[in-house]
C-alpha cells in the first residue's frame, strides 16, 4: 500500500496539482484584461482578491477556470435528463456510437488488409505505400468530402461519421497485424512444415494466435483514433448532436466553458474506450496462457 | 594422413555392416548442398554418402558449420540438396514428409506459448486429423513416456527448460513416426539435466525401437547414446569418419568411465582433429 502511495499516487497527484495551479494562473492572466476593461467602464474598484475572483467567474471567459469547467461538466453530466440537448451523456453517447461502429469496421478492414498483405506477394509489394499515403491526407480535408459524397448517394446519419473513424482506425490495425501475422519464429513455422500442415492450418493454429498481442496493442491506438475521427466527422456535417457538434456550437457562441466541458467528456470517453480494449487484451492474454506480469 | 586412411578403412567396414541390415531408412549418395549467400556460395554439404538402418541411433558430431544440422534438415525436407540423391524410407524426403515419416525435435523446445502442454503435444495430431478421443489417449501415453504426467494443463513457461524439451520430444513422438530427428535437443540444458535426459532417451529408444538421428556438440553424449557416430568437419561440410559403437545396448551412466567408452571417445576426438588439420 505504501509502495503504491509512493510509486503512483504521490507523483500523479503532484503533477495534477501543478497543472491545476498553472491553469488557474493562466486563466487569471488571460481573463484579467477584459475584466479590467469591464470594471473601468462600470466605474467599479475592487480589492485584489475580489478582482481575482471576478476573473474566474465570467460567463464567457477567454480561458475558463478549472472549477467553472468542473461545475459545468458535473451539472451537464449528472443533473440533466438524458434526452436533453444539454446533457453531455447524450452527446457522448452519440459520438460513442459512431466511434464504436467505425472502430469495428476499422478493425475488420485492418485485419483483412493485413491478411492479404501477408498472403499475397503482389499486395505485399504494392499496398503499403497506398495505405501510408492515405494517412498523410489531413482528415479535416477529407471528412467533408466523405460526408458530401455519401449524402449524394443517400447515405446519411451514423454511417458516414463511422466511416471517417474507420479511415483513421484501420491503419494501426493493418500495420500491427502485418507485424503480428509475421511474428512466428522460424522454428515454429518449420515445425508446421514437418507436419505437412496446410496453409489454412498454419494460419489458424500459428499465425493468428501469435498475432493476438499485436492486435490488442494496435486496437488501443485504433480506438483512440476512432474517437478523434468521430468528433472530426461531427464538425463539417453540421451535426446537431455529439461531442464534435458541442465543440462547434460552443465556438460559435463563445461558450468556452461548454467547450472545455465537452473536451473533458471526450477525454473521459477516450479513457474508457482505451481501458476497455486494454482489459479485453489482458483477459485474452490470460486465457492464452500469458505469464502474469 | 594416417587418420584419413583409417577413416576410409572404417567406412568400408561400416558399409559392409549396413548392407547386412535389410531395412535402410536413410540412404544418401554424393549429397551436395550449397547455400548462395551475400558473401558467395557456402558448401554446407559436400559429397556425403551415408546409410542409416532401421532401429539405429546415429549421432552427428562436428564443429559449427560442418553441416550436421543441414543434413538433418535435408532428411526432414526443410532444405533442398543441390546435388546427389537421398531417400527416406525409400522415397524422396518430400514424399516422406507428406506421409509424416518423422518427428523433429528442435534445439529450442519451440512449444507454442499459448497452448498448454497437452495441447502442444496434440498439435500434430490435430493437424493430421486424428479423432478427439484418440488424441486424448495418445497425448496421455506420450506424456507418460517422457514422465510428464500431471503437467497436462500447465503452460510452457511454467515448466523448467528440461521439462519443456521433454514435452517437445513427446510432441515428436505423439504421431508415432518411426524416425526421430533431433537437432541438439539438449544443447541448451545444464549437465545434470542433460545426463538425466540422455538416460531417459536411451530408455525410450529401447522401448520404442525407433530410428534416431541425433545432432550434438558433445563427444560423451554422442558416444553414450549412439550405435553409430558420424564425425563431420566444416568448409566444405563433409563426413570424415563413421564409427560403429561396440558398447552394449544396455548402458548405465557409469559406462562412461569404462576403457571401451574412452577408446571410442578418443577415436571421435581424433576424427574431429583430422577434420581440422585438413583445414590448416
Amino acid at each position: 500500500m505504501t509502495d503504491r502511495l509512493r510509486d503512483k499516487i504521490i507523483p500523479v497527484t503532484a503533477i495534477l496539482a501543478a497543472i491545476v495551479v498553472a491553469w488557474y494562473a493562466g486563466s487569471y492572466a488571460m481573463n484579467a484584461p477584459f475584466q479590467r476593461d469591464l470594471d473601468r467602464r462600470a466605474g467599479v474598484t475592487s480589492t485584489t482578491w475580489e478582482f481575482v475572483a471576478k476573473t474566474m467567474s465570467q460567463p464567457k471567459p477567454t480561458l475558463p477556470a478549472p472549477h467553472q469547467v468542473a461545475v459545468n461538466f458535473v451539472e451537464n453530466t449528472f443533473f440533466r435528463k438524458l434526452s436533453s440537448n444539454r446533457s453531455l451523456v447524450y452527446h457522448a453517447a452519440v459520438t460513442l456510437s459512431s466511434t464504436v461502429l467505425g472502430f469495428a469496421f476499422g478493425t475488420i478492414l485492418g485485419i483483412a488488409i493485413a491478411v492479404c498483405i501477408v498472403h499475397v506477394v503482389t499486395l505485399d509489394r504494392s499496398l503499403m505505400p497506398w495505405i501510408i499515403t492515405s494517412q498523410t491526407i489531413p482528415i479535416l480535408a477529407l471528412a467533408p468530402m466523405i460526408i458530401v459524397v455519401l449524402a449524394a448517394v443517400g447515405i446519411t446519419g451514423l454511417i458516414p461519421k463511422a466511416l471517417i473513424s474507420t479511415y483513421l482506425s484501420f491503419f494501426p490495425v493493418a500495420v500491427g497485424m502485418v507485424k503480428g501475422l509475421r511474428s512466428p519464429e522460424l522454428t515454429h513455422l518449420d515445425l508446421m512444415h514437418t507436419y505437412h500442415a496446410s496453409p489454412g492450418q498454419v494460419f489458424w493454429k500459428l499465425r493468428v494466435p501469435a498475432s493476438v498481442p499485436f492486435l490488442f496493442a494496435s486496437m488501443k491506438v485504433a480506438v483512440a483514433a476512432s474517437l478523434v475521427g468521430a468528433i472530426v466527422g461531427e464538425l463539417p456535417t453540421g451535426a446537431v448532436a455529439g461531442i464534435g457538434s458541442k465543440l462547434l456550437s460552443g465556438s460559435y457562441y463563445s461558450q468556452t466553458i461548454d467547450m472545455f466541458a465537452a473536451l473533458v467528456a471526450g477525454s473521459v470517453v477516450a479513457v474508457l474506450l482505451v481501458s476497455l480494449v486494454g482489459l479485453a487484451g489482458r483477459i485474452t492474454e490470460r486465457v492464452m496462457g500469458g505469464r502474469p506480469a | 594422413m594416417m587418420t584419413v586412411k583409417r577413416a576410409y578403412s572404417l567406412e568400408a567396414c561400416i558399409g559392409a555392416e549396413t548392407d547386412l541390415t535389410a531395412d535402410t531408412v536413410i540412404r544418401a549418395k554424393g549429397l551436395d548442398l550449397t547455400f548462395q549467400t551475400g558473401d558467395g556460395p557456402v558448401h554446407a554439404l559436400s559429397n556425403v554418402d551415408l546409410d542409416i538402418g532401421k532401429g539405429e541411433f546415429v549421432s552427428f558430431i562436428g564443429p559449427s558449420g560442418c553441416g550436421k544440422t543441414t543434413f538433418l534438415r535435408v532428411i526432414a525436407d526443410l532444405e533442398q540438396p543441390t546435388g546427389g540423391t537421398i531417400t527416406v524410407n525409400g522415397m524422396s524426403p518430400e514424399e516422406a514428409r507428406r506421409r509424416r515419416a518423422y518427428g523433429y525435435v528442435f534445439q529450442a523446445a519451440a512449444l507454442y506459448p499459448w497452448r498448454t502442454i497437452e495441447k502442444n503435444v496434440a498439435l500434430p495430431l490435430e493437424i493430421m486429423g486424428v479423432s478427439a478421443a484418440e488424441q486424448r489417449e495418445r497425448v496421455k501415453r506420450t506424456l507418460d513416456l517422457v514422465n510428464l504426467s500431471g503437467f497436462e494443463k500447465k503452460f510452457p513457461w511454467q515448466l523448467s527448460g528440461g521439462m519443456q524439451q521433454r514435452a517437445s520430444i513427446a510432441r515428436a513422438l505423439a504421431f508415432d513416426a518411426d524416425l526421430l530427428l533431433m537437432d541438439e535437443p539438449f544443447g541448451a540444458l545444464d549437465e545434470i539435466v542433460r545426463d538425466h535426459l540422455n538416460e531417459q532417451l536411451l530408455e525410450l529408444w529401447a522401448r520404442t525401437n525407433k530410428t534416431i538421428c541425433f545432432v550434438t556438440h558433445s563427444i560423451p553424449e554422442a558416444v553414450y547414446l549412439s550405435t553409430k557416430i558420424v564425425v563431420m568437419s566444416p568448409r566444405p561440410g563433409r563426413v570424415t569418419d563413421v564409427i560403429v559403437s561396440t558398447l552394449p545396448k544396455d548402458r548405465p551412466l557409469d559406462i562412461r568411465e569404462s576403457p571401451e567408452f574412452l577408446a571410442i571417445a578418443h577415436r571421435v576426438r581424433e576424427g574431429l582433429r583430422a577434420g581440422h588439420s585438413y583445414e590448416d
Side-chain angles (χ1 to χ4, degrees):
Chain A
M1 193 58 215
T2 51
D3 279 351
R4 194 176 161 74
L5 193 71
R6 198 184 54 223
D7 294 345
K8 280 254 175 78
I9 297 175
I10 291 178
V12 169
T13 319
I15 296 292
L16 195 64
I19 291 172
V20 169
V21 168
W23 190 350
Y24 268 113
S27 89
Y28 169 77
M30 296 191 72
N31 298 334
F34 181 64
Q35 191 62 42
R36 221 169 271 135
D37 211 28
L38 275 182
D39 282 5
R40 195 170 42 76
R41 286 188 207 183
V44 183
T45 48
S46 43
T47 62
T48 314
W49 276 118
E50 276 170 358
F51 182 75
V52 170
K54 275 193 264 180
T55 60
M56 298 188 182
S57 53
Q58 296 172 354
K60 293 182 176 185
T62 312
L63 177 64
H67 68 268
Q68 289 179 293
V69 176
V71 167
N72 182 297
F73 177 78
V74 170
E75 266 181 11
N76 290 330
T77 305
F78 300 110
F79 301 107
R80 301 274 178 216
K81 270 191 276 179
L82 289 185
S83 56
S84 159
N85 192 35
R86 305 206 55 181
S87 166
L88 278 174
V89 177
Y90 164 71
H91 288 290
V94 169
T95 303
L96 189 65
S97 60
S98 69
T99 302
V100 169
L101 187 66
F103 172 63
F105 284 166
T107 304
I108 293 167
L109 180 65
I111 292 173
I113 288 174
V115 170
C116 292
I117 287 180
V118 169
H119 283 92
V120 184
V121 179
T122 321
L123 292 181
D124 180 23
R125 301 217 177 117
S126 61
L127 208 52
M128 226 9 144
W130 290 103
I131 291 172
I132 291 165
T133 309
S134 78
Q135 299 301 305
T136 62
I137 302 169
I139 189 66
L140 267 174
L142 207 60
M145 290 198 271
I146 294 177
I147 304 284
V148 168
V149 168
L150 288 178
V153 294
I155 302 171
T156 54
L158 190 59
I159 303 280
K161 276 200 304 178
L163 284 182
I164 293 167
S165 291
T166 304
Y167 188 84
L168 287 185
S169 62
F170 88 91
F171 179 68
V173 174
V175 172
M177 279 303 280
V178 166
K179 206 168 160 54
L181 291 171
R182 288 194 172 140
S183 69
E185 295 165 33
L186 210 58
T187 45
H188 286 175
L189 285 164
D190 276 350
L191 191 70
M192 281 295 188
H193 187 71
T194 69
Y195 298 151
H196 185 48
S198 69
Q201 286 169 326
V202 175
F203 181 74
W204 288 111
K205 291 187 192 294
L206 177 57
R207 290 192 190 276
V208 168
S211 72
V212 166
F214 293 83
L215 175 64
F216 278 101
S218 52
M219 271 165 67
K220 265 193 193 172
V221 181
V223 79
S226 281
L227 182 67
V228 172
I231 291 174
V232 169
E234 283 160 357
L235 297 178
T237 53
V240 288
I243 290 172
S245 79
K246 194 81 181 147
L247 287 173
L248 199 65
S249 66
S251 77
Y252 284 159
Y253 304 112
S254 307
Q255 304 280 8
T256 42
I257 303 180
D258 277 358
M259 286 172 68
F260 270 83
L263 279 180
V264 171
S267 346
V268 170
V269 172
V271 168
L272 281 178
L273 287 172
V274 172
S275 321
L276 267 178
V277 173
L279 182 69
R282 274 202 299 282
I283 291 171
T284 314
E285 218 165 275
R286 186 62 58 87
V287 171
M288 289 176 69
R291 193 192 296 247
Chain B
M1 201 57 215
M2 277 293 288
T3 39
V4 173
K5 207 178 229 167
R6 202 188 47 209
Y8 273 110
S9 60
L10 257 170
E11 220 167 340
C13 68
I14 304 324
E17 198 252 1
T18 40
D19 278 347
L20 294 177
T21 56
D23 295 327
T24 306
V25 177
I26 292 157
R27 173 161 285 166
K29 279 244 173 299
L31 200 67
D32 270 304
L33 199 155
T34 309
F35 290 114
Q36 298 300 336
T37 71
D39 304 331
V42 172
H43 296 276
L45 292 173
S46 167
N47 197 25
V48 172
D49 293 325
L50 195 70
D51 281 0
I52 296 171
K54 189 165 168 45
E56 280 194 280
F57 195 127
V58 182
S59 284
F60 296 83
I61 191 165
S64 305
C66 71
K68 52 194 193 299
T69 294
T70 307
F71 186 66
L72 212 62
R73 289 175 65 86
V74 169
I75 299 173
D77 189 38
L78 290 167
E79 305 286 354
Q80 302 308 318
T82 47
T85 59
I86 181 164
T87 59
V88 179
N89 290 339
M91 45 196 146
S92 72
E94 196 198 347
E95 184 61 31
R97 178 175 64 84
R98 287 176 185 282
R99 297 196 185 186
R100 281 114 183 196
Y102 64 85
Y104 200 103
V105 179
F106 293 89
Q107 183 166 10
L111 299 169
Y112 289 5
W114 53 85
R115 284 176 170 252
T116 57
I117 295 304
E118 63 177 355
K119 286 276 174 195
N120 263 293
V121 176
L123 177 70
L125 304 173
E126 280 175 28
I127 287 169
M128 293 167 196
V130 174
S131 74
E134 181 157 7
Q135 277 185 31
R136 267 196 302 281
E137 194 266 321
R138 284 199 188 197
V139 167
K140 193 187 169 317
R141 182 155 40 104
T142 38
L143 280 178
D144 242 12
L145 213 58
V146 296
N147 292 330
L148 271 182
S149 302
F151 293 93
E152 290 87 352
K153 305 283 180 205
K154 298 277 189 220
F155 283 99
W157 62 268
Q158 295 172 299
L159 270 58
S160 68
M163 286 161 94
Q164 288 183 24
Q165 199 54 274
R166 257 148 57 196
S168 97
I169 293 171
R171 182 178 57 188
L173 293 172
F175 53 100
D176 245 351
D178 288 329
L179 177 61
L180 201 54
L181 305 174
M182 307 178 85
D183 182 8
E184 285 187 55
F186 310 140
L189 304 177
D190 68 64
E191 196 77 19
I192 300 162
V193 177
R194 198 174 182 153
D195 273 358
H196 191 58
L197 289 181
N198 279 342
E199 252 185 315
Q200 289 187 336
L201 182 60
L202 268 189
E203 205 180 292
L204 194 139
W205 172 64
R207 242 190 299 172
T208 55
N209 198 31
K210 289 188 188 304
T211 311
I212 300 183
C213 295
F214 188 95
V215 168
T216 179
H217 267 129
S218 155
I219 297 174
E221 189 172 68
V223 178
Y224 178 65
L225 292 172
S226 322
T227 56
K228 187 193 267 181
I229 302 157
V230 178
V231 182
M232 300 181 75
S233 76
R235 284 175 292 273
R238 65 199 186 281
V239 175
T240 48
D241 201 353
V242 178
I243 300 163
V244 174
S245 176
T246 50
L247 295 176
K249 202 168 177 180
D250 185 35
R251 298 173 187 182
L253 269 179
D254 54 15
I255 201 171
R256 295 182 298 183
E257 273 110 60
S258 70
E260 205 178 355
F261 184 97
L262 296 174
I264 300 171
H266 181 73
R267 242 150 76 188
V268 174
R269 196 168 283 119
E270 289 271 283
L272 288 171
R273 205 172 288 156
H276 271 286
S277 65
Y278 191 85
E279 188 187 0
D280 297 335

